[in-house]
Amino acid sequence: MSNNDFTYGLATGIAICAGLFSLGAAFVYINNQRAKNAKAVAHASQPLALSSIAVSDDRASTSSFVPNETHKISPDDPNPATLVRLQHLFEVNGDKLSQIAKHMVAEMKKGLATDDSTLKMIPTHVVRRPKGDETGSYLALDLGGTNFRVCEVTLDGRGGTRVRQSKHTVTDDLKNGTGAALFDFFAECVKQFLLSDDQKEVTDKDLHTNEFKLGFTFSFAVNQVSINSGFLMGWNKGFSASDCVGKDAVVLLQDAFRRKRMNVSVTALVNDTTGTLVSHAYSAPDTYVGVILGTGTNAAYVEKIENITKYKKDPAGAKDMIINTEWGAFDDEMVVIPRTKYDHKVDRGTANAKSWTFEKLISGMYLGEICRYVLVDLVKTGEIYIAGGTKSKTLSVPHAFETAFMSRIERDHSLDLSDVRTVLEDLMHIPGTTLADRRLTKAICEMIGKRAARLSAAGIAAIVTKMNKLDGCTVGIDGSLFELYPHFSNRMRDAMHEILGFSAENIVLEQARDGSGQGAALIAALAGKLTA
């Protein structure tokens, strides 16, 4: 054999071996890929469970993981079955939100036609919004819920204000005592406010001889018959003072001023949402909606007078009027909003059971109580606080678990949730909580807080749809939930997008701090121009 033949044969053999090796490698690769694909399909087919960590962000919810052979549930993880069950109870998806908004629009139309509707849609007699060039100083009394304020508001004529104010707490004894004692307390606070003015000397004689005009923000449902007259239809927010329901709130306050020998004239009776709308419109003229999201909740908006068919007065050429929706009573018939057994328990524990049920799902007075009922239930079933849940007497006390605790818990992003431990162990006296306990508690707070924000958004979406303002308007929102509760505002904006689509970009949700007091002073000052 020649050297050439040998070389040729050797090269051929090497090529054949290389080809066989490549075929073998390809075969192994294909089999591996098939195995990976099969595993991925099996992985995807498993049901998702909520994350034990329940991490919050601006679009806050609970994240997900899939327990399988590579992800074992840690002792620090809550029970996935518990999380999924609770998630199903409190979740309100986009389709349901759209149904809720649509139903609210229909109820709004009923309320504009008759006083017998669940949504009262009360005409406020405020037929114009300020232009921003108004000037002067005016008094306001702002009663919202637990706290009330006495304010002196100075308008600078350029859309700006300066406010001097004092804040006071309404005790449970005052809330549930006599109406005379409650309104005497308001009058006494106004008296002390006027006497304590550092800028000018005011005497008891001045209070009797000089006239002071005041706007009264009264954040309860009234049958308002004029700008400075309205009859209380019923208490809520924990109030039950006697001899007030069916009475004119302005007369009750004027009588108290008279007993204090004060020459104060209440020239405007204003709902807090109306005050918020008017106040925000002073600096942002495209404001057409005012909302309160705090201890209680309500909304007001600008409606065409021709659509208020139950309004029989001549508004002297005005085309629009602010309507106080009293949306806290929306869906009292329980037609469209899903309720949990915990929501029903909270409702039964109030002085106005089966009414203002929408408010009880989304306002600060009730969210903590919903959470408490969930925790009590889970202690009974042995799903949480196994080491010490039954030892906590505090957990069984109504309203002991405050909505402020939920806010604090949702804000805790530490690895061991140390602030959640402080709330549970130091404030609620639940000894020996585990990390799994704390993670589950945080997840529950997120579920309840998120539902409240999404339902609030559904209400706003309904109002801007009813006004036909999807092309753009500003919503002024006052209240501690919108301002302080973690992620509340962003959860609302996300829900608005789900309901309204791209039109949600045209709706601006803005904080309107202390708007109700400023609005009351503004309406009192401009009663002749802003009202009919």
Side-chain angles (χ1 to χ4, degrees):
M1 177 182 293
S2 67
N3 287 337
N4 288 341
D5 290 338
F6 176 80
T7 301
Y8 177 81
L10 180 61
T12 301
I14 292 172
I16 291 171
C17 290
L20 290 174
F21 180 82
S22 297
L23 287 173
F27 180 78
V28 171
Y29 174 81
I30 291 170
N31 279 342
N32 285 342
Q33 288 300 108
R34 286 176 176 173
K36 288 181 180 179
N37 290 340
K39 187 176 180 179
V41 170
H43 183 282
S45 66
Q46 296 184 43
L48 293 178
L50 294 172
S51 170
S52 59
I53 299 178
V55 177
S56 293
D57 60 16
D58 284 348
R59 301 181 183 275
S61 180
T62 46
S63 55
S64 301
F65 74 92
V66 182
N68 55 34
E69 68 275 8
T70 61
H71 186 112
K72 302 300 182 182
I73 297 176
S74 163
D76 292 334
D77 292 331
N79 185 338
T82 300
L83 283 168
V84 170
R85 186 180 78 250
L86 294 173
Q87 181 72 27
H88 287 165
L89 282 177
F90 289 103
E91 184 177 27
V92 186
N93 62 31
D95 288 341
K96 175 55 71 172
L97 289 175
S98 296
Q99 293 175 17
I100 292 169
K102 183 178 180 180
H103 185 65
M104 181 177 278
V105 171
E107 292 298 298
M108 291 172 69
K109 292 178 179 178
K110 289 181 183 178
L112 292 172
T114 174
D115 289 330
D116 296 330
S117 175
T118 302
L119 278 185
K120 295 306 178 185
M121 306 297 288
I122 301 169
T124 65
H125 304 270
V126 178
V127 297
R128 295 176 184 86
R129 290 170 299 131
K131 296 179 180 179
D133 58 358
E134 294 81 6
T135 60
S137 296
Y138 309 93
L139 288 175
L141 179 63
D142 180 12
L143 174 63
T146 302
N147 298 313
F148 88 98
R149 296 175 300 142
V150 182
C151 309
E152 182 181 43
V153 180
T154 302
L155 311 173
D156 67 8
R158 299 183 300 277
T161 60
R162 185 175 71 253
V163 180
R164 182 175 76 91
Q165 65 177 328
S166 62
K167 185 176 289 188
H168 310 267
T169 299
V170 185
T171 65
D172 288 339
D173 287 343
L174 287 169
K175 289 180 181 178
N176 303 303
T178 66
L182 179 65
F183 281 84
D184 279 348
F185 175 68
F186 298 153
E188 179 65 26
C189 289
V190 174
K191 178 179 180 180
Q192 296 305 319
F193 177 82
L194 291 171
L195 292 174
S196 64
D197 191 348
D198 294 333
Q199 303 299 316
K200 55 182 179 291
E201 183 178 352
V202 178
T203 66
D204 284 324
K205 182 179 179 180
D206 294 330
L207 296 181
H208 182 61
T209 57
N210 298 345
E211 183 182 18
F212 300 86
K213 293 185 177 182
L214 178 143
F216 182 22
T217 298
F218 188 63
S219 305
F220 301 89
V222 298
N223 178 19
Q224 190 153 357
V225 296
S226 71
I227 189 59
N228 62 345
S229 179
F231 297 85
L232 178 62
M233 301 167 70
W235 287 116
N236 61 335
K237 305 176 189 176
F239 282 74
S240 62
S242 62
D243 300 321
C244 293
V245 176
K247 303 288 183 63
D248 190 330
V250 171
V251 172
L252 293 173
L253 185 58
Q254 288 283 190
D255 287 346
F257 285 133
R258 193 172 297 112
R259 289 191 291 270
K260 298 287 182 181
R261 295 181 56 80
M262 298 172 63
N263 188 16
V264 178
S265 178
V266 183
T267 59
L269 178 65
V270 183
N271 183 270
D272 54 357
T273 52
T274 304
T276 296
L277 195 165
V278 170
S279 175
H280 205 65
Y282 182 65
S283 57
D286 61 343
T287 302
Y288 286 84
V289 185
V291 177
I292 301 295
L293 291 170
T295 302
T297 184
N298 193 14
Y301 74 104
V302 178
E303 180 61 88
K304 294 185 182 301
I305 289 178
E306 64 188 40
N307 294 332
I308 315 171
T309 54
K310 68 181 181 183
Y311 185 71
K312 305 303 181 183
K313 295 184 179 181
D314 181 6
K319 296 181 179 180
D320 300 320
M321 179 183 291
I322 296 176
I323 292 292
N324 166 22
T325 66
E326 289 297 338
W327 79 1
F330 169 62
D331 200 37
D332 276 352
E333 303 88 347
M334 301 191 181
V335 172
V336 67
I337 302 176
R339 265 77 167 191
T340 70
K341 63 179 180 180
Y342 309 111
D343 301 322
H344 291 297
K345 286 182 178 181
V346 169
D347 180 48
R348 288 195 296 269
T350 63
N352 58 342
K354 297 184 179 181
S355 63
W356 262 258
T357 56
F358 187 62
E359 178 174 82
K360 293 168 188 175
L361 297 175
I362 65 177
S363 70
M365 184 169 184
Y366 303 102
L367 296 184
E369 185 69 348
I370 297 171
C371 191
R372 187 186 71 85
Y373 273 118
V374 175
L375 297 178
V376 168
D377 198 29
L378 295 180
V379 167
K380 291 179 180 177
T381 59
E383 295 172 86
I384 200 169
Y385 313 144
I386 296 174
T390 57
K391 298 177 183 177
S392 171
K393 294 182 179 179
T394 307
L395 191 59
S396 63
V397 176
H399 298 281
F401 195 91
E402 301 174 13
T403 302
F405 295 170
M406 295 175 61
S407 178
R408 184 172 175 179
I409 286 169
E410 282 218 50
R411 199 174 281 113
D412 186 359
H413 298 292
S414 62
L415 290 177
D416 64 345
L417 297 180
S418 56
D419 216 22
V420 179
R421 178 193 284 120
T422 298
V423 170
L424 297 177
E425 298 186 7
D426 295 349
L427 300 179
M428 296 304 297
H429 306 109
I430 302 169
T433 64
T434 66
L435 182 54
D437 288 335
R438 299 192 290 275
R439 285 175 169 172
L440 179 55
T441 302
K442 183 174 181 181
I444 293 167
C445 292
E446 288 180 350
M447 294 173 196
I448 295 170
K450 182 177 181 180
R451 183 185 66 164
R454 289 170 68 81
L455 290 175
S456 303
I460 293 175
I463 288 176
V464 295
T465 300
K466 173 65 182 68
M467 288 192 301
N468 196 25
K469 284 288 183 181
L470 294 176
D471 57 340
C473 75
T474 295
V475 180
I477 305 177
D478 197 1
S480 56
L481 280 179
F482 185 81
E483 180 179 7
L484 301 175
Y485 195 98
H487 316 299
F488 203 91
S489 60
N490 284 327
R491 288 166 174 167
M492 288 180 65
R493 292 184 178 97
D494 287 347
M496 294 281 287
H497 277 276
E498 292 179 45
I499 301 167
L500 301 177
F502 289 117
S503 295
E505 296 291 338
N506 302 323
I507 311 304
V508 179
L509 307 183
E510 285 188 348
Q511 181 71 44
R513 292 180 180 85
D514 299 328
S516 54
Q518 293 184 40
L522 188 56
I523 294 173
L526 306 172
K529 298 178 181 179
L530 292 179
T531 61

